[in-house]
Amino acid sequence: MKKILLFLTMSLLALLTGCATPYIDRSYTAVSQDSRAQFLILHYTAGNFAGSLQTLTQGPVSSHYLVNENPPTIYQLVDETRRAYHAGVSYWKGATQLNASSIGIEIVNLGYRDTPEGRIYFDFPQAQIDAVIALVKKIVKENGIKPERVLGHSDIAPGRKPDPGPRFPWKQFADAGLIMWPDANAVAARKNGFEQQLPDTVWWQRTLAQHGYAVPQNGEMDQATTSVIASFQMKYRPANFAGIPDAETAAMLDVLTAPNLATQ
């Protein structure tokens, strides 16, 4: 009865004052709900701090956070409850257009430079990585984001985006319990078998898709498929990410997609 009287009183006051804001009763809470943020996507800015800040605050792209390198300062540019435009055309395990369901972290880093000797990627200062790890821990805890959904831009847009690149220390994030990582002993055991015979293209495409990537299922080792393999290698085996199928890559992928063999 008290709630009914309160509702009628508030409604009457709203009519008398011309207020357009309705009274909302928040006494009840639904059990079936979770965070809007289901993914966390890591990027490098491919530029210095000043240019990155200008791009992310004044242009058509944005991110929730920007992490500078010197000093390693964390800037929040978009509230986590709102959508930032950092992922673009994206896919992971059936989810698309991940801007709407992700939190984006841009890390100040020049990315790479092309030289006569080849492409050179830039390192991330350890202090900056420490700041990013602390931020990721906070975000995943508050939003309940699963380790298999902490990703790089290159995971959700292989072939189109290379960031955060092969110099990004993903293993440190695995050691911190933030991402999945293939168990080394299991990889070594599987590698022996794959050295005897590599899987066919159908296996590669099917298993890469099971892991989460958008990859063709046409039985052809085409450019799109090798780009996905390169993205996988860049993350888990950055010493060689040419996109060429090999026994070690097959073993890592097999372990990551096998129950109870990947470690968090």
Side-chain angles (χ1 to χ4, degrees):
M1 179 62 71
K2 289 183 179 179
K3 286 187 177 180
I4 295 174
L5 291 174
L6 178 61
F7 174 77
L8 292 173
T9 300
M10 295 301 293
S11 299
L12 180 60
L13 286 173
L15 289 172
L16 292 174
T17 60
C19 177
T21 303
Y23 168 71
I24 299 174
D25 190 324
R26 293 186 172 87
S27 302
Y28 307 100
T29 302
V31 173
S32 298
Q33 60 175 296
D34 57 12
S35 173
R36 177 203 66 81
Q38 296 292 305
F39 300 88
L40 191 150
I41 312 300
L42 296 162
H43 310 255
Y44 63 47
T45 61
N48 61 24
F49 173 71
S52 301
L53 186 62
Q54 173 76 16
T55 298
L56 293 170
T57 58
Q58 303 301 319
V61 297
S62 58
S63 68
H64 294 89
Y65 296 95
L66 173 65
V67 184
N68 197 9
E69 56 179 345
N70 187 25
T73 307
I74 300 170
Y75 299 86
Q76 184 167 16
L77 309 180
V78 177
D79 191 272
E80 288 185 14
T81 62
R82 298 179 64 80
R83 176 169 55 181
Y85 293 92
H86 61 97
V89 178
S90 49
Y91 175 97
W92 191 257
K93 285 192 174 182
T96 61
Q97 304 299 328
L98 299 184
N99 280 331
S101 58
S102 66
I103 292 175
I105 300 176
E106 288 277 0
I107 306 164
V108 175
N109 181 280
L110 296 180
Y112 62 83
R113 182 179 74 235
D114 287 323
T115 72
E117 291 74 33
R119 179 166 291 181
I120 297 175
Y121 287 84
F122 292 91
D123 289 322
F124 296 81
Q126 187 59 50
Q128 184 186 41
I129 291 300
D130 291 341
V132 174
I133 288 175
L135 177 60
V136 172
K137 283 183 176 180
K138 175 182 181 296
I139 293 170
V140 300
K141 180 179 180 180
E142 292 176 350
N143 293 278
I145 299 175
K146 300 175 182 178
E148 58 267 29
R149 292 181 173 182
V150 177
L151 305 163
H153 205 178
S154 56
D155 291 317
I156 62 173
R160 186 174 70 86
K161 293 294 183 179
D163 55 310
R167 305 300 296 173
F168 190 74
W170 283 109
K171 184 60 167 62
Q172 291 189 38
F173 287 74
D175 292 341
L178 297 172
I179 68 168
M180 305 303 293
W181 200 261
D183 178 77
N185 292 328
V187 169
R190 299 291 179 93
K191 182 180 175 183
N192 291 330
F194 287 125
E195 284 175 339
Q196 302 301 314
Q197 182 175 357
L198 278 178
D200 60 15
T201 302
V202 171
W203 180 91
W204 283 99
Q205 293 180 332
R206 182 182 67 248
T207 313
L208 287 165
Q210 181 183 347
H211 184 57
Y213 292 104
V215 60
Q217 301 295 308
N218 56 15
E220 301 176 8
M221 190 57 68
D222 51 20
Q223 181 61 50
T225 303
T226 57
S227 291
V228 172
I229 293 173
S231 292
F232 178 87
Q233 292 169 333
M234 186 183 296
K235 186 173 187 177
Y236 295 105
R237 207 269 311 274
N240 181 358
F241 55 96
I244 300 172
D246 58 40
E248 184 178 33
T249 305
M252 287 181 166
L253 180 60
D254 197 37
V255 168
L256 279 169
T257 53
N260 304 320
L261 288 181
T263 59
Q264 178 183 331

